[in-house]
Amino acid sequence: MNEVLKRAIPHEDGLLRCPWPGHDPVYLAYHDQEWGAPERDSRALYEKLVLDGFQAGLSWIAILRKRDNFRAAFDGFDPLKIAAYDEDKIASLMQDAGIVRNRAKIAGAVASARAYLEIEAGQGFSHYLWDFVDGRPIVNHFASLSEVPAATPLSEKISRDLKRRGFKFCGPTIIYAFMQAVGMVNDHLVDCWRHAQCAGEPHP
């Protein structure tokens, strides 16, 4: 991809957008409505973290197209229910063609649910994560995808802490993609119409 194609691109509605969704309507809706918007709900944060783990080695659009199937298969991503999954449930999920059938990733979702419950019972999972960025998004001003990092020292720090607490599939690159998606860092390109909208406000 040349440098021009890595910059915000115009669409028929007159808006400039990050180039990575292309013109795929599913991807565009995700870009316009979700990606980069500060997410404060603990359960939603757990869901996104698990799905980012399932994405490892795959494309995000592949996971996005299966998201409703994942939600149905994983009890709406209720961490309390997932934490109780046993081997029979994992075996059942391995037969579900609507999701990514990877035993390690499914078992990782269960382990992460148990780790989540411990944090949620304490300071709360949302507060735990947002405290890493002092409660407000890190707002970058990148003009091109070539400027956007795959991981940062902060994503490495969060990754280490999550692993220490028992989370799985949460390496630094996965965590940085997660931080971008849930608005902990605003990596919409500066010319994208969503950049200003996703700057966010301090945590109350």
Side-chain angles (χ1 to χ4, degrees):
M1 183 183 292
N2 65 42
E3 187 59 31
V4 172
L5 296 178
K6 292 180 180 180
R7 295 179 177 273
I9 58 176
H11 287 255
E12 291 181 355
D13 57 7
L15 297 175
L16 287 170
R17 290 178 171 85
C18 300
W20 53 262
H23 294 276
D24 184 308
V26 174
Y27 228 179
L28 284 172
Y30 174 69
H31 170 275
D32 287 0
Q33 299 166 21
E34 296 182 57
W35 193 81
E39 177 59 71
R40 307 284 182 175
D41 180 77
S42 288
R43 191 218 56 82
L45 289 166
Y46 164 76
E47 173 183 325
K48 186 62 177 65
L49 184 58
V50 170
L51 288 176
D52 273 334
F54 271 99
Q55 182 200 350
L58 304 170
S59 66
W60 175 243
I61 188 61
I63 300 299
L64 194 59
R65 293 187 188 283
K66 292 177 178 285
R67 184 163 60 171
D68 287 344
N69 296 334
F70 271 104
R71 286 171 172 167
F74 282 87
D75 291 295
F77 284 99
D78 181 336
L80 194 61
K81 292 181 178 178
I82 295 174
Y85 285 2
D86 56 17
E87 283 300 318
D88 287 342
K89 177 63 175 180
I90 292 174
S92 174
L93 288 168
M94 283 294 294
Q95 302 303 312
D96 190 337
I99 66 171
V100 174
R101 292 180 287 183
N102 180 299
R103 180 174 289 276
K105 291 178 180 180
I106 293 171
V110 178
S112 294
R114 293 167 182 167
Y116 165 95
L117 291 175
E118 290 191 17
I119 297 175
E120 182 67 8
Q123 68 190 102
F125 190 60
S126 179
H127 283 283
Y128 160 76
L129 287 172
W130 280 94
D131 278 352
F132 282 104
V133 292
D134 295 326
R136 70 187 67 190
I138 296 170
V139 181
N140 290 320
H141 295 84
F142 299 132
S144 168
L145 292 182
S146 61
E147 301 174 53
V148 181
T152 63
L154 181 55
S155 76
E156 293 173 0
K157 177 182 178 181
I158 297 172
S159 172
R160 286 194 301 270
D161 200 69
L162 286 167
K163 289 177 180 178
R164 179 179 66 81
R165 293 169 180 268
F167 284 82
K168 306 297 182 183
F169 291 94
C170 56
T173 301
I174 289 175
I175 292 303
Y176 193 69
F178 168 78
M179 293 170 68
Q180 292 172 311
V182 301
M184 291 174 67
V185 56
N186 180 0
D187 272 353
H188 280 285
L189 298 184
V190 70
D191 291 332
C192 175
W193 76 279
R194 286 288 286 165
H195 183 272
Q197 291 195 347
C198 291
E201 298 294 334
H203 197 289

